[in-house]
Every structure is written in structure tokens, then in C-alpha cells.
């Protein structure tokens, strides 16, 4: 759990945006791979806020080694992607 919290903190510091949750994670040969949901643009009402889903890579010690946005969506929209796909 500490690795997940630290990843959210590191991503927020790098991007200046609020990392709200970790939607998936897995241990890899090189450390950890996480998908983090980030508030990119706050709007009123909140359901219209723009969110970003970021793929975050961590080394075995939990230090961020890279990230990239994999999708952008409105908070109130249902996920159009198939289950389990990236």
C-alpha cells in the first residue's frame, strides 16, 4: 500500500495535478506498473471535470521511472473501453 501512496504523491508532484486513485497495479520484472486516475481540469458540475488515466512505471523500490497519459475522459462518463484492456 505504501508503494501505491508514494506513486500517487510522486505523480502529483511531477504533474501539478491531483492523483485521485490507483485503478490498477501489477508487479513486473522491472518493478511496478500502475494506472492512476488524475484530475486534470476541475469543472462545475463535478461530473464534467476532465480526468486523465496515467500509466506509471516504478522501480522495485517504488521510485517513479516514467509515466504517460493513456486516456482522457469526463468524470461523469461511463468507461467505453472493454474490460481488462489498456
Amino acid at each position: 500500500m505504501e508503494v501505491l501512496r508514494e506513486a500517487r504523491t510522486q505523480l502529483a508532484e511531477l504533474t501539478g495535478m491531483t492523483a485521485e486513485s490507483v485503478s490498477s497495479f501489477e508487479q513486473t520484472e522491472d518493478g511496478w506498473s500502475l494506472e492512476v486516475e488524475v484530475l486534470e481540469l476541475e469543472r462545475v458540475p463535478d461530473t464534467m471535470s476532465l480526468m486523465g488515466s496515467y500509466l506509471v512505471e516504478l522501480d522495485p523500490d517504488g521510485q517513479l521511472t516514467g509515466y504517460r497519459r493513456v486516456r482522457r475522459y469526463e468524470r461523469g462518463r461511463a468507461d467505453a473501453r472493454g474490460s481488462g484492456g489498456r
Side-chain angles (χ1 to χ4, degrees):
M1 292 303 294
E2 186 59 34
V3 168
L4 302 181
R5 278 190 285 275
E6 185 61 27
R8 287 175 54 190
T9 300
Q10 290 179 62
L11 184 62
E13 288 176 6
L14 285 170
T15 63
M17 296 180 283
T18 303
E20 293 199 345
S21 65
V22 176
S23 57
S24 70
F25 71 96
E26 65 181 321
Q27 193 165 15
T28 66
E29 291 179 11
D30 299 323
W32 296 90
S33 178
L34 295 80
E35 194 163 334
V36 179
E37 306 309 311
V38 173
L39 175 62
E40 292 193 340
L41 180 61
E42 193 167 7
R43 291 186 175 159
V44 176
D46 189 50
T47 55
M48 297 301 293
S49 292
L50 289 180
M51 303 293 294
S53 188
Y54 285 75
L55 181 62
V56 178
E57 303 292 335
L58 307 172
D59 68 17
D61 297 323
Q63 295 302 304
L64 193 141
T65 59
Y67 72 92
R68 72 176 186 278
R69 184 173 65 201
V70 292
R71 70 185 182 104
R72 195 172 197 200
Y73 60 97
E74 290 177 340
R75 185 190 295 270
R77 295 270 171 118
D79 193 351
R81 297 184 309 165
S83 63
R86 248 194 225 166

